[in-house]
Amino acid sequence: MTKILLDTLGLDKGYKEVVKAGVNALKQNENIEICFLGDCGNIKKELEMYEKKFLKETGKDLFDFVTIINAPTEISCNDIPTKAIKEKQDSSLVVGFEELKNGYDALISGGSTGAVLAGGFLKIGRIKGISRPALCPMLPTKTGGKVMLIDCGATVDAKPNNLCDYALMADIYFKSVMGIESPKIALLNNGIEENKGNELVKTTYQSLKQMPINFVGNLEAREFLSGNADVVISDGFSGNVLLKGTEGAVMMVLSMLKTEIKKSFVCKMGAIFMKKAFKKLKSTLKTDNHGGSIMLGLKRTLIKVHGSSTHTAIEVAVKQAIEIKENKVLEKFEEEFNKRLENN
Amino acid sequence: MTKILLDTLGLDKGYKEVVKAGVNALKQNENIEICFLGDCGNIKKELEMYEKKFLKETGKDLFDFVTIINAPTEISCNDIPTKAIKEKQDSSLVVGFEELKNGYDALISGGSTGAVLAGGFLKIGRIKGISRPALCPMLPTKTGGKVMLIDCGATVDAKPNNLCDYALMADIYFKSVMGIESPKIALLNNGIEENKGNELVKTTYQSLKQMPINFVGNLEAREFLSGNADVVISDGFSGNVLLKGTEGAVMMVLSMLKTEIKKSFVCKMGAIFMKKAFKKLKSTLKTDNHGGSIMLGLKRTLIKVHGSSTHTAIEVAVKQAIEIKENKVLEKFEEEFNKRLENN
């Protein structure tokens, strides 16, 4: 049984989208329970709209699998994260973190990234031996696979030992969840040669070489989505630049193409013929289909989805949470990092 | 008169592309002289092919405006840059740097980035008062303008004072060359709030606020090509990640679209109708049309073009070199940084 908390506040599309995701997730997955956090009245009313259809489709009573906790205050992007986590006791996030600590397996939120990170640090804490947690989005590659970026912003001033811990976590995650026997782990750098990079990556390179992982060397940002690596290791600052730079460039190309199409009737006609290709492209690139960024290294599963997410992203995030639970990823982290502590 | 050195070695397309660029540049611009560096015999033979047509079109003798210096050795990407610059005395780059020091205005090369940077540091040197030089590509924005990224890899372990020097240089460059009265200068960061970022950018932010420039605050990588900033300040490592990540994402979208189009006859038909839109998109995105990365902060103009450049990129780079000379950018750097030294 995987017990999952869904924060209904903070998403651009509002709580209804989260409720929809939760109901869909219950249809798609056996052996899960969902707890919604937010405005109790709103959530209940929304759930009731799904109740009959759920019963008809699954033969089960929706309310046997859901709980609602009233926590109607939102921590917004304008709040100072650590302050809000300490002070906004009735916020969906703070209540969520308390519940997460006390028995739930995972918390999924589309709220303020800063507050999600701060809550993870302050309320949940790290697994023993892991120097820093990391925020890890998954992206599509040109070859049809996926690549994990670790870290995209949890630790902006990272040290070499942090990056080595990331490598070990990603290795375990990929082996357990993705079923890849020997995940290719690369280090984000400004060149591929061993002597390239700033002090941080030069030192990290030497340590990664010694680790029992499939370290494939440096990777330039240009190759991020090439499929040449399963995991890309980075400090949180550069990782954030890579992630958002990639998003920005994709958006720019699509928006420029749209502008050009609108300029000519012939192009507009062409675009209609090309509908299928555009649809496939959009679906591949859509961040929604790749779930959320998992915060690896904490004692519980914490997943941050984009504020602009639709229900799809949350449904994928629920799947991620289930996979982490069922493949005992956190237990393996504990075991592996404990071993390392004992050996040092 | 702007005297420009063109390195004919190191480009994927070979010396012929550089000679073509040089001849075109002489047609397009008054008051310049071109010196080609590389294999003298090859260059001469190639130039002779253009001689008649040049005379016919311009009424001038091509060889009145070109010089050739025999320097047939190439510094490749496999050479260790600093070592090669010290040892390969007959290489086109080393000879080029000597000539640049002794009277030429600009050197344009598509050779090894490491060697170009090392040569700039070791052979040319910085303008007094500028703590570090920076490599500055120009990219197209969504709004049809241009954005300068400063630095994309000259200094991977930058300090706050380096970033402040970049801001001042970019400010002068944009005012002089681009004719923008009050260029919008932004700091690359992982969030827009003032308290965001790693130690480097947090400290830099406070200094930039005090400077007599139009500092518009933090900018996320997602907004790089939005047109919201004329200049984006970054350490060389993150800047490199941003530049190459952007390139990689653009390539990925275009290649994925191509793959999808090929899958269906109808899509292929559509693509034919859309030819005009694709052509415009490609032309906007093509790095060739935006010249090279200028290395700002040195006593002479040094421009690195992409190894995969066509003659167009080199022709644009020649224009950049002329603009720097005619607008007295280096003199303004000297004056401004001297003033700062005197005031401190």
Side-chain angles (χ1 to χ4, degrees), chain B residues 105-118:
Chain B
D105 296 299
L107 167 61
I108 297 169
S109 173
S112 143
T113 308
V116 171
L117 291 177

Side-chain angles (χ1 to χ4, degrees), chain A residues 14-30:
Chain A
Y15 71 95
K16 290 185 182 179
E17 200 71 15
V18 183
V19 173
K20 186 178 181 181
V23 174
N24 284 346
L26 283 168
K27 287 184 199 167
Q28 293 156 12
N29 306 283
E30 295 285 318

Side-chain angles (χ1 to χ4, degrees), chain A residues 28 50 139 160 166 168 189 251 313-314 324:
Chain A
Q28 293 156 12
Y50 289 101
L139 284 99
Y166 301 167
L168 195 56
N189 206 333
M251 297 308 295
I314 302 168
I324 289 172

Side-chain angles (χ1 to χ4, degrees), chain B residues 44-60:
Chain B
K44 190 155 178 281
K45 218 188 291 169
E46 191 67 14
L47 278 169
E48 281 165 357
M49 307 223 331
Y50 289 100
E51 204 180 359
K52 261 195 194 160
K53 203 169 167 237
F54 189 87
L55 181 66
K56 205 175 145 193
E57 283 179 29
T58 65
K60 294 172 189 167

